Amino acid sequence: MRLSNVTAVTTSPGRQSATVHQGAERLGLDLIAVAADLGVSARKMSPFERPVLSAWLRKPDEYDFLVWSHVDRAVRSVAHMSHLLAWAEEHATTLVFVMPEERHPLVVPPHANGKVTRRCVDLAYAAEHEARTISARLTSAHEVLRASGRYAGGLVPFGYRKAPHPSGSGWCLTPDAEAAALLRAILERVYAGESLMSIARGLNEVNALVPRDRHAVLQGRPTGGVRHGYTFEKFRWTSGTLSKVLRSPSLMGHRIHRGRSVLDDNGHPVLIGTPVLDESEFRALQEILSARSNGTRQSRGPRSRLLTRVAHCSACGGRMYYRSRKLYAHGDYVCAAAANGLRCPAAAAMRSDWLEDYVIDGYRRMTGARGPVSRADLLAAGVRVTVAKGRCGGDSTRLAGPDTSRLTFAMGVPPSTGIPGT
């Protein structure tokens, strides 16, 4: 089963489940499991990327049939359908689309004839065209709502909540007293000179809800969800989340689209409600945040990203990420726990060129490979290097290269979530 949007009144999951069960019974199949990916867009995500279904597609030996209620529940792209058909043929799996509005289910055996394959592709094309039409219609409707100051759907800006529009038609946004109070507390800590990382860590310690989870609670939905293919019961504050909240003009009551204020025909910002911060407060906040920027951001070349998802901190198990150094050609790989609002007992860091050379040498030694080594090569081989925290002090020999006693190299390691402790 799959559904793009889930609300309290959604009945589609129940209908899909009933159709799948009826189709399986009609074909004499025994259902062993139901893979339900709710809140997932088939237009944006192939079957092999969906959190629940992808796990089953990685173990095709455990079943012989895959059953969907309709083709558009499986794919909304011709390319995705082609990929699915190729996978089914490779793994000798039969695809079934129940299609209750038709006389017979569409059954696609592993070596389907050209007629059946063309039917699948035609239905996928129709689903893709429908998805584009729906997207265009929604985009047009949302433009009208944004211009009128009405709530156009999606994530509610932090500090606000959805409320009936004064006209009696549709919705608008009004300040959320609880979130606004939390925002004021955050601002006090910013004005006191506390870093965003420290503030995020403190918010996580008191279980303060991030904007996405706060919106879910106000809508009567569970917190958490899927991010980067992983499921979370509750999302955490990070310095990045805080920065987005504090830099958004929505705090002044502006309607925002793609990060910018929506303007009316006279060039004035369209308001969504009472401002949480007035213009002078917002500008003063931006000056503080800009003054704290260290100016080391730069475009990352392939070399600087070589060990993303490969290098891990040995103390917390979390991924290490590249951080540039001002006035230096090299940077460092550092433990990302603090940036994720977590505490690491011994956060590790190491010069990027030293760590990359160490990993490349280890990979070549164990595989016999020569020539350039890419991140894709390392990930495909399951390469993982863990880095322990270094010690202070030492003589000039410490500048000659990495302290290999701090490093552990391994191959054939399953990929991690990137979350400390995993």
Side-chain angles (χ1 to χ4, degrees):
M1 298 190 300
R2 183 200 60 78
L3 192 63
S4 298
N5 296 300
V6 183
T7 67
V9 296
T10 292
T11 60
S12 180
R15 295 197 306 272
Q16 289 184 52
S17 178
T19 299
V20 168
H21 279 80
Q22 291 168 5
E25 182 178 354
R26 184 175 179 181
L27 295 172
L29 306 178
D30 294 324
L31 283 178
I32 63 171
V34 174
D37 285 304
L38 305 182
V40 173
S41 169
R43 184 167 176 254
K44 300 177 180 178
M45 193 175 292
S46 81
F48 301 91
E49 299 171 312
R50 295 170 203 163
V52 182
L53 179 57
S54 63
W56 282 98
L57 295 179
R58 289 193 294 270
K59 46 185 179 182
D61 295 337
E62 297 187 12
Y63 50 87
D64 299 310
F65 290 78
L66 277 173
V67 184
W68 284 274
S69 60
H70 295 80
V71 167
D72 63 3
R73 297 302 93 189
V75 299
R76 280 190 178 271
S77 160
V78 172
H80 293 169
M81 174 59 82
S82 298
H83 189 186
L84 186 60
L85 291 172
W87 174 90
E89 181 175 354
E90 178 184 354
H91 297 286
T93 302
T94 298
L95 308 178
V96 177
F97 305 103
V98 180
M99 314 290 282
E101 66 279 2
E102 299 189 3
R103 294 181 60 185
H104 302 288
L106 175 57
V107 180
V108 189
H111 298 283
N113 59 42
K115 182 178 179 180
V116 173
T117 300
R118 284 194 298 273
R119 173 121 174 92
C120 290
V121 172
D122 288 345
L123 289 171
Y125 176 80
E128 182 175 350
H129 178 71
E130 180 186 36
R132 290 176 177 171
T133 301
I134 292 173
S135 177
R137 186 166 63 245
L138 289 176
T139 298
S140 178
H142 285 178
E143 288 176 353
V144 173
L145 290 173
R146 282 193 294 270
S148 65
R150 295 176 188 268
Y151 174 59
L155 184 64
V156 173
F158 188 63
Y160 294 89
R161 62 187 301 166
K162 191 171 74 169
H165 195 274
S167 67
S169 175
W171 301 88
C172 65
L173 299 180
T174 188
D176 174 10
E178 184 174 330
L182 177 61
L183 177 62
R184 289 291 180 183
I186 291 172
L187 292 178
E188 289 181 6
R189 298 171 71 171
V190 171
Y191 295 149
E194 191 171 348
S195 72
L196 296 187
M197 283 188 183
S198 175
I199 296 173
R201 188 163 54 241
L203 293 173
N204 290 325
E205 289 174 351
V206 298
N207 294 316
L209 295 177
V210 301
R212 185 169 172 178
D213 283 342
R214 175 62 180 168
H215 179 55
V217 168
L218 292 175
Q219 298 301 307
R221 295 187 282 105
T223 59
V226 178
R227 179 175 289 170
H228 305 307
Y230 298 99
T231 301
F232 299 87
E233 293 184 1
K234 182 181 176 182
F235 294 114
R236 299 183 65 83
W237 286 94
T238 68
S239 58
T241 302
L242 268 176
S243 180
K244 288 180 181 179
V245 168
L246 298 177
R247 290 185 179 279
S248 174
S250 65
L251 295 176
M252 294 184 290
H254 293 189
R255 163 69 67 199
I256 302 299
H257 181 54
R258 295 182 178 177
R260 296 186 177 185
S261 300
V262 176
L263 306 180
D264 60 21
D265 293 338
N266 297 318
H268 300 136
V270 175
L271 300 181
I272 55 175
T274 304
V276 175
L277 299 180
D278 62 33
E279 186 174 348
S280 61
E281 289 177 311
F282 182 78
R283 288 185 176 179
L285 175 61
Q286 303 316 300
E287 291 177 1
I288 292 174
L289 296 175
S290 297
R292 292 185 182 182
S293 176
N294 59 18
T296 61
R297 283 189 176 272
Q298 61 185 40
S299 59
R300 299 179 177 180
R303 182 73 170 172
S304 66
R305 297 193 298 267
L306 181 67
L307 301 186
T308 300
R309 295 170 57 194
V310 174
H312 291 72
C313 174
S314 65
C316 66
R319 291 179 188 164
M320 299 176 71
Y321 290 92
Y322 179 86
R323 179 183 296 168
S324 62
R325 277 194 186 189
K326 201 170 185 179
L327 304 180
Y328 285 86
H330 64 79
D332 297 296
Y333 283 99
V334 298
C335 172
N340 290 322
L342 304 170
R343 290 184 184 275
C344 177
M350 180 167 282
R351 250 178 74 159
S352 60
D353 52 346
W354 288 355
L355 189 57
E356 288 169 359
D357 288 342
Y358 172 84
V359 171
I360 290 173
D361 289 344
Y363 174 80
R364 287 173 174 164
R365 184 173 61 254
M366 296 185 71
T367 63
R370 296 186 177 184
V373 177
S374 68
R375 182 160 65 99
D377 295 330
L378 299 176
L379 295 175
V383 173
R384 180 182 177 118
V385 59
T386 57
V387 185
K389 184 177 181 179
R391 293 176 296 177
C392 296
D395 54 29
S396 59
T397 58
R398 64 183 304 206
L399 301 178
D403 177 3
T404 55
S405 66
R406 296 169 51 199
L407 305 176
T408 302
F409 181 92
M411 285 185 62
V413 180
S416 76
T417 62
I419 304 170
T422 61

